[in-house]
């Protein structure tokens, strides 16, 4: 093989490594509502049906809110069984959670078409839009595109009292994940200040498994956005001791090492890293080209 062909192959491999991902991360796209994903699969809609089974038990994290803080109200909002929810969160069915506490939601995830989903329904207020429902009430656990795709009502024609079908993001493990001992996938809605490696640690998942579950490379901390979701692969059911209460991030003059500032520094050092890798790949390509030219000249 000619060096130039080899370098092209290396380049191609670098570019296509995401194809082996279990699911793709939607990134900021999830926040758009541009009618993507109805025909061509897109992670900004829901997760694709590419698992070993077409249905499975799955889990989600929901952060308790003013209007959704009791076991019964959260169970109703997400159409899950309240006894199961109470058991897995180690509380009783009549209990309530403090605001912003992560609550584990067990769901039955299934695949009616090309996407995995757990269905629930929601009766809208006057002020709700598909977007505010997906990212506000449902914290990113549904998506604007999927709400538009699965409800007959046009986004401009929503009215108070309308009963909507809300498809929630879930997924079943792929054959490779099952072979690695992964039994469940947890859909985690990202909050301000969350870091990918801290999350894999907290749920006792290996960093590499979590990265590959979301289509990220195993090197470097990926950038994740609030109101989008990532999948955390679990070898057993999640337990309540793994959940935390999120405290709103406040700017205080007495806290010079603010989490978002730390995150920014991490992001910056990663963009430096990417820049460095870019330079290395470019140099490699130039070097290969030079070698090829040298060999070609030699032959003449
Ligand atoms: C499963 O793993 C094998 C071996 O590592 C790899 O070749 C294959 O592409 C993987 N399949 C999927 C769907 O990730
Ligand atoms: C898939 O289904 C089989 C048979 O019902 C079951 O034994 C297996 O655990 C399931 N795999 C996953 C990943 O749920
Ligand atoms: C809670 O519900 C009440 C009545 O439905 C509504 O007026 C209020 O805006 C809701 N609060 C939040 C934070 O969503
Ligand atoms: C899932 O389905 C099973 C069997 O239909 C049911 O017993 C269980 O309560 C369901 N779980 C949830 C979380 O809805
Ligand atoms: C969820 O809703 C979709 C779309 O209406 C439907 O095709 C599917 O059967 C529903 N899934 C379940 C488990 O009811
Ligand atoms: C975390 O995983 C390790 C092995 O992978 C296991 O020994 C340990 O018990 C797990 N911890 C929790 C809290 O599940």
């Amino acid at each position: 093989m000619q060096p130039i062909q080899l370098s092209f192959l290396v380049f191609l491999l670098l570019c296509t490594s995401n194809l082996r991902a279990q699911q793709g991360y939607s990134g900021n796209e999830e926040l758009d509502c541009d009618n993507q994903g109805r025909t061509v699969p897109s992670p900004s809609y829901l997760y694709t049906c590419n698992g070993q089974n077409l249905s499975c038990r799955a889990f989600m994290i929901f952060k308790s809110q003013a209007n959704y803080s009791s076991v019964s109200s959260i169970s109703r909002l997400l159409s899950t069984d309240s006894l199961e929810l109470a058991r897995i969160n180690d509380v009783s069915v009549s209990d309530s959670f403090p605001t912003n506490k992560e609550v584990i939601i067990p769901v039955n995830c299934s695949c009616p078409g090309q996407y995995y989903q757990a269905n629930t329904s929601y009766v809208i207020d006057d002020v709700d839009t598909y977007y505010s429902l997906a990212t506000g009430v449902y914290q990113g656990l549904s998506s604007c595109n999927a709400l538009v795709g699965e409800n007959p009502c046009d986004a401009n024609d929503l009215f108070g009292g309308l009963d909507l079908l809300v498809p929630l993001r879930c997924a079943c493990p792929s054959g490779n994940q099952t072979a690695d001992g992964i039994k469940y996938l947890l859909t985690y809605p990202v909050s301000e200040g969350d870091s990918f490696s801290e999350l894999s640690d907290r749920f006792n998942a290996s960093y590499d498994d979590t990265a590959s579950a979301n289509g990220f490379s195993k090197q470097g901390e990926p950038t994740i956005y609030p109101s989008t979701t990532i999948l955390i692969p679990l070898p057993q059911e999640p337990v309540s001791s793994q959940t935390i209460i999120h405290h709103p991030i406040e700017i205080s003059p007495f806290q010079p090492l603010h989490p978002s500032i730390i995150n920014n520094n991490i992001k910056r050092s990663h963009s430096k890293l990417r820049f460095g890798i870019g330079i290395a790949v470019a140099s490699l390509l130039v070097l290969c080209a030079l070698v090829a030219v040298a060999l070609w000249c030699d032959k003449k």
Side-chain angles (χ1 to χ4, degrees):
M1 199 187 286
Q2 290 287 322
I4 189 76
Q5 283 170 316
L6 188 70
S7 63
F8 180 68
L9 197 73
V10 168
F11 186 69
L12 205 68
L13 277 177
L14 286 174
C15 293
T16 54
S17 59
N18 258 6
L19 291 183
R20 276 178 290 132
Q22 322 280 351
Q23 295 284 353
Y25 175 58
S26 68
N28 265 341
E29 268 176 47
E30 181 172 335
L31 306 180
D32 290 339
C33 200
D34 49 7
N35 203 14
Q36 270 186 26
R38 230 186 297 189
T39 45
V40 180
S42 160
S44 71
Y45 196 95
L46 296 169
Y47 291 116
T48 311
C49 294
N50 62 2
Q52 192 180 39
N53 294 348
L54 291 183
S55 70
C56 63
R57 189 173 162 75
F59 298 94
M60 296 175 186
I61 290 291
F62 176 81
K63 288 176 295 265
S64 77
Q65 297 301 308
N67 282 351
Y68 305 106
S69 63
S70 64
V71 168
S72 56
S73 62
I74 296 175
S75 304
R76 228 176 301 121
L77 180 71
L78 298 163
S79 294
T80 186
D81 186 78
S82 55
L83 289 173
E84 269 193 79
L85 187 140
R87 177 190 61 81
I88 199 154
N89 288 285
D90 227 350
V91 295
S92 91
V93 268
S94 54
D95 280 348
S96 286
F97 298 95
T99 304
N100 281 324
K101 166 76 166 58
E102 292 180 357
V103 180
I104 303 168
I105 313 292
V107 293
N108 288 326
C109 185
S110 63
C111 184
Q114 61 177 339
Y115 295 110
Y116 282 117
Q117 63 192 64
N119 293 342
T120 183
S121 63
Y122 182 83
V123 177
I124 61 175
D125 275 330
D126 298 341
V127 289
D128 291 316
T129 62
Y130 283 132
Y131 180 83
S132 70
L133 202 57
T135 58
V137 177
Y138 286 98
Q139 306 175 1
L141 291 173
S142 186
S143 83
C144 190
N145 281 321
L147 283 169
V148 172
E150 307 215 352
N151 286 287
C153 215
D154 191 79
N156 299 319
D157 300 335
L158 297 180
F159 53 92
L162 184 66
D163 198 349
L164 295 178
L165 169 76
V166 181
L168 301 172
R169 302 169 74 85
C170 61
C172 299
S174 68
N176 278 2
Q177 285 174 324
T178 306
D180 284 347
I182 291 158
K183 291 215 181 66
Y184 310 103
L185 294 172
L186 172 86
T187 308
Y188 181 90
V190 175
S191 295
E192 201 75 54
D194 276 341
S195 102
F196 195 75
S197 44
E198 182 266 331
L199 286 170
S200 2
D201 279 355
R202 184 145 65 80
F203 288 98
N204 209 16
S206 92
Y207 184 87
D208 286 2
D209 285 351
T210 313
S212 106
N214 293 281
F216 291 130
S217 92
K218 290 174 184 169
Q219 278 94 41
E221 178 88 17
T223 306
I224 49 179
Y225 304 94
S227 300
T228 64
T229 63
I230 58 169
L231 290 172
I232 301 179
L234 305 173
Q236 67 252 314
E237 290 194 352
V239 291
S240 62
S241 61
Q242 293 171 320
T243 62
I244 59 165
I245 297 178
H246 288 260
H247 295 288
I249 296 170
E250 285 159 30
I251 307 286
S252 151
F254 306 111
Q255 282 180 296
L257 275 184
H258 190 265
S260 64
I261 296 169
I262 300 172
N263 272 351
N264 274 342
N265 286 341
I266 293 173
K267 271 180 212 154
R268 232 171 275 141
S269 67
H270 284 297
S271 58
K272 264 190 218 147
L273 183 71
R274 280 201 208 114
F275 185 64
I277 292 174
I279 297 226
V281 169
S283 320
L284 192 73
L285 286 177
V286 169
L287 192 72
C288 290
L290 285 179
V291 170
V293 168
L295 287 178
W296 184 67
C297 291
D298 249 13
K299 260 197 234 158
K300 285 192 109 185

